[in-house]
Amino acid sequence: MNLFLVTTTTASETSNCCLESFQGLPVLELASVCINLTLVLVFLSIVSARQVALCFGRIRLSKENLNGNSASSSQRVLVGEESQSVVIGKTYKASLFCCFYVLLLHVLVLGFDGVGLIKKAAQRKGKSSNWTVIVLPAAQCLAWFVLSFSALYCKYKAVVKFPYLLRIWWVASFVICLCTMYADGRGILAEGLGHLNSHVLVTFAAAPALCFLFYVSFSGVTGIQEFRNSDLREPLLLEEEAGCLKVTPYSEAGLFSLLTLSWLNPLLSIGARKPLELKDIPLLAPKDRSKTNYKLLNTNWEKLKAENPLTQPSLAWAILKSFWKEAACNAIFAGVNTLVSYVGPYLISYFVDYLGGKETFPHEGYILAGIFFGSKLLETLTTRQWYLGVDILGMHVRSALTAMVYRKGLRLSSSARQSRTSGEVVNYMAVDVQRIGDYSWYLHDIWMLPLQIILALAILYKNVGIASVATLIATIISIVATVPLARIQEDYQDRLMAAKDDRMRRTSECLRNMRILKLQAWEDRYRVKLEEMRNVEFKYLRKALYSQAFITFIFWSSPIFVSVVTFGTSILLGAQLTAGSVLSALATFRILQEPLRNFPDLVSMMAQTKVSLDRIAGFLNEEELQEDATITLPRGISDVSIEIKDGEFCWDSSSLVSTLSGIQIKVGRGMRVAVCGVVGSGKSSFLSCILGEIPKVAGEVRICGSAAYVPQSAWIQSGTIEENILFGSPMDKAKYKSVIHACSLKKDFELFSHGDQTIIGDRGINLSGGQKQRVQLARALYQNADIYLLDDPFSAVDAHTGSELFKEYILTALSGKTVVFVTHQVEFLPAADLILVLKEGRVIQAGIYEELLQAGTDFNTLVSAHHEAIEAMDFANQAFEESEKLDPLDRPVLMCKKCDSAGSNITGMAKDVQEGLSASDRKALKEKKKAKRARKKQLVQEEERERGRVSMKVYLSYMAAAYKGLLIPLIIIAQTLFQVLQIASNWWMAWANPQTTGDSPKTSSMMLLGVYMALAFGSSWFIFIRAVLVATFGLAAAQKLFMKMLRTVFRAPMSFFDSTPSGRILNRVSVDQSVVDLDIPFRLGGFASTTIQLLGIVGVMTQVTWQILLLVVPMAVACLWMQKYYMASSRELVRIVSIQKSPVIHLFTESIAGAATIRGFGQEKRFMKRNLYLLDCFTRPFFCSLSAIEWLCLRMEMLSTFVFAFCMVLLVSFPHGSIDPSMAGLAVTYGLNLNARLSRWILSFCKLENKIVSIERIHQYCEIPSEAPAVIDNLRPQSSWPQTGTIELIDLKVRYKESLPVVLHGVSCVFPGGKKIGIVGRTGSGKSTMIQALFRLIEPAGGRIIIDNIDISKIGLHDLRSRLGIIPQDPTLFEGTIRGNLDPLEEHSDQEIWQALDKSQLGEIVRQKEHKLDTPVLENGDNWSVGQRQLVSLGRALLKQARILVLDEATASVDTATDNLIQKIIRTEFQDCTVCTIAHRIPTVIDSDLVLVLSDGKVAEFDTPARLIDDKSSMFLKLVSEYSSRSNGMLDF
């Protein structure tokens, strides 16, 4: 009862005191306070009402959507999403400046008055102070804070007029200001300068600004103009998925939402309910999109290039000019954060003094606790804004640079492309751009480090006096000591990147050419080469990681070293240390530890970023294609379509001999021009010079109208067939149908399971050679260009399809167009209006067919070679007699019954789908097809990703990857011992020193210092052990995972490569492997260390105030719940980010490969748009992923700040003397670090889980099912096998995939040993499939293949493939030398290689080269013509000397003369071998011993050519007559 009375009395006294104080205030000040506070309350109530209305509006809208009005709502969204550009006028800028200016004045007054009040209170020692002095500035500060940010908010809402409340407020403020000025003026007149005080000065200083705002409030116009512009959104909307048309709430978020990151709540709540998909993630705001940032950076880069064309401009300067505003905004947050973080260490000594009983003013403990809490809260808010801003800045730089690198890749000249391989350029995009973006984290450290050191020295000077000079010296020594280490680190990084580039280039090449590697049984050799390259990379990786470990040790030790030097100096100088000053110093060292520890990262990051900037700047400065190489005139301006005057062109600028010279040609509109000549005569280069692809040395090239280009090696994009044909043009059904008809693609589409919606695999892998070529032709025709440049378009198709194409495509569809076509088919030449004959880069003959024939010379040679081939088809009797000589016993086997479907006239077949179904089968299937179509699987599937939590199995597999996980416990023990010794050393310093200045110390100075040094340096040694163990563990695990993945990928069946775009595999061996190499071990180590540190902090705080456990336990539960809630979304976001990265890289590799085609069609802009769209698809989840981390950290830190505040209040509330002040001080010192450690712990766990996704992805590729074993030891054939080379096919059935139909239907036949077998059939009849089955690239679904009495499915793949020879359809050369390409296994002498080259007609060409057998071969063999590449393939076969040789369209890319020559060489060199030849040119197979005719995947006929020709109903006869009539009639269409 008494207590109650006392309390009541105290309360009434306090209220009376308050009233008296307020009554003492001047009337004007009181009025000002009341008006401002009333308006603040009105403002808050309006904002609250709006939020409630908005909430109800959302509920109503969601109900409408549920009732089925979703369509209309999506329309509303679309209308709202029109892009807008906002122009901000001078009026608005001036108004905003005035508001913030007045706010600043009032903040200064509040600070000045507050400090004065505290000083007075300290002097009066317990007497009450007149605190009403600060009421007016506090009310004004609050009011102008609201006013300033309301005015700022107008900009984001793009409002035309300021809100009424704002204008009324400004008027009221101006009126009060006038009245106050009048009263103050009278006061100054009466009292003189004695009347002046802070309030009077502020009133006069604010008057001009308030006058301007008073003027603005009458019109209320903001000066903000908004221009709606729907064009900017257009390209994105075309490709955007439905359901994701809403822009991120971040762009519209209010101040509170931005501070607390609550704009992210809707996305996280979706993520908590279900796994997120890309369509759930909102679009970026226009200012964050790749297009905006790319344009900004590109403009500044071009300006810098223009300013000084002779020197290489600085890319770093261009980036800074483009994004300086964002960087400056971040700098403000970073600066405030740094200042606030030193408040705690500064005040700790006062706090310890207070707990020791020294109270300088009333309620000092609570005021100190309040300041501690306020500074921690402000630190938390600014940290999150700073980090998010830095992440967004990095994201902008990354997307802008990626777009610039992509655009440059499309424009590179041929010489620049030769110096930069696609693997290197992919690395620029995957690694260097990433690194430059990441540097944004370290951007402010350069100026913050000195600021932090100055602040720390100031606090230390207050605590330890002159000894702080020693601190400065020790700090400088710490920093300087790392500079040489950082240099070494940079050198290792450089070499590591170069080694990675080499490995990526070779990996990319192997993946592209995996089919050849498997056919030739070379995959083990190339895998070993890759492993060797990885070992070189690993050597530098090891050095980089161990030097990193040493730097880590130095920097964990540097704060210990600095503290020992400081305390040692202080003790030696005889200064009196107290517990308070020691704890304040320790807290300062701990803050200083962060920038010092970050310094080596900063130095190494600066080094790495400089390397990456130089690499990208060098690439961006590479030579581009000559702008003036071709002059393009508008359509219809001239009757001359193509004109070349005195043209001289050369691929290699350093070469003395031009590729093309003396080119003089005029092509009229509508002319058909044929270009012919022997292999390597410069035919493809001739087309390149018209396109402007080949560097022009002299002369002039003009074209009139648009061009379309069909290259010799087909370039097909991943995507549907329809997308490939449309190639960015809108769909026109009638035109599309006529194009399909002209390119004979209708039948092919009928046989594809998804028609023209079939997805084509990487580089058109699931189309036959002929189909690829016809899709290319269709693409060109659909573009409706004026000029068509076709590079040998008929080589890959059979005779019938070729004639059909020529008639329908060139003569009909392109009648009236200008057509320039390169061809080896002499029979098409009479239809040309002009024939150009090239030899050694010169046009040696030009004219029409008859003229050239009469002129004789080279053209005659080409034509007569063709005639020879045709005459070979008019059989002499010898061919028949030879067939009679066959063993009579063999005849029944050879004479196979003709199949029913022999006559079916099918033009094209899908390689991997319903190949070869007879007409009746097809009818039955049509009904089934409709039902099946929905669930039929495409060859290329969406990239797979795991869902839900990262499995514990992934963590365990990684931990067990190195030394069976034995290092993990050692790492944890080392870290724990470090933490224990650290706490012990701090405790010792706090305990052993006196509490206050007068007390006596508990030990001698030397004892104090000796124990401290022993504990401190002992702890740093454990850090060194931990760093070395982590590096050792990381290296072993990374190497093991890489080797496992590489071996699994190389052992994967061919079907895996057919259905997996190489971008996906490259992404894993570059980006994911980099994460495993450099990131994950340190993330694991970091997570372990942060966990142990956190436990240490909680332990120390609990030791002093056990009551804190009451809060720590619920806080831990809340943290874990939030972390779980966050991880549900974050994990999926990171997986989506990983998957969205692949298409960017894939489009890039694809575009670089087809750059000539893209430029030929003038489609650079469309591909650039596509790249920007894919970048935004990547950036959307990436941005949300970054924001989600900050969302979580903010909430965690808020919780820990409240726990810390609770601890402070407890300590203040305990009666004096009940706790040891030094121990309480130690708890506060550690508590100051609690929020930073907690967020670091959560962050390190989340980042670890996000990065561990890379291991999960690598793990997926370690689990790919393997093809059959390479060698089966107990079933190895003899070294001489096969001796005779007899091949028996017994009821062979083949399908490409379980889910796809059978392609070969029970093929049975015998190829006798040593005979020449011709295999013919329409395009896609199953010829190549049969060869793949022979090499076991596809395992048979039924039946057997027996070679010399051995079932090939029973022996190892290496034993089989190494004994067979093949010259494939697509000739492939590997980067390296001619020797390496002919004999990669290094089994033959130089003499044997020269013999093979001579026989394959390349000897002379190679001898003319400077390096002979070591003549370089560029990536893809780009410096050799397609025909020459085919001859190298022949050279390989000659070296291998296998008993069975397969020629798969081997001579499709060479002229008839060379073809005849190759056939002659094969007849002589392989006379005792079994030679299986697939060919479309009938002369190639006509002199075979036996001919196999395939149709619909079945054997139609199998007999000697003579017998088949005698049979008037034979299918072979039909093919022969088609070819000879086409040739003899010389196309008399």
Side-chain angles (χ1 to χ4, degrees), residues 427 435 487-503 533-544 607-608 611 615:
N427 254 2
R435 192 169 278 165
R487 287 228 175 102
I488 295 167
Q489 177 86 341
E490 180 189 358
D491 181 46
Y492 291 151
Q493 283 289 347
D494 265 4
R495 294 181 183 188
L496 178 63
M497 285 310 298
K500 190 188 258 342
D501 279 351
D502 287 346
R503 173 175 66 80
M533 293 176 108
R534 167 67 183 177
N535 288 336
V536 172
E537 182 189 353
F538 186 71
K539 182 175 78 180
Y540 295 117
L541 180 67
R542 184 190 288 122
K543 288 178 177 174
Q608 290 177 27
V611 170
R615 278 159 57 94

Side-chain angles (χ1 to χ4, degrees), residues 798-820:
D798 60 63
H800 172 74
T801 313
S803 312
E804 194 81 359
L805 267 179
F806 193 80
K807 198 191 303 179
E808 294 291 340
Y809 191 88
I810 289 187
L811 300 182
T812 312
L814 294 183
S815 60
K817 304 277 185 188
T818 309
V819 183
V820 179

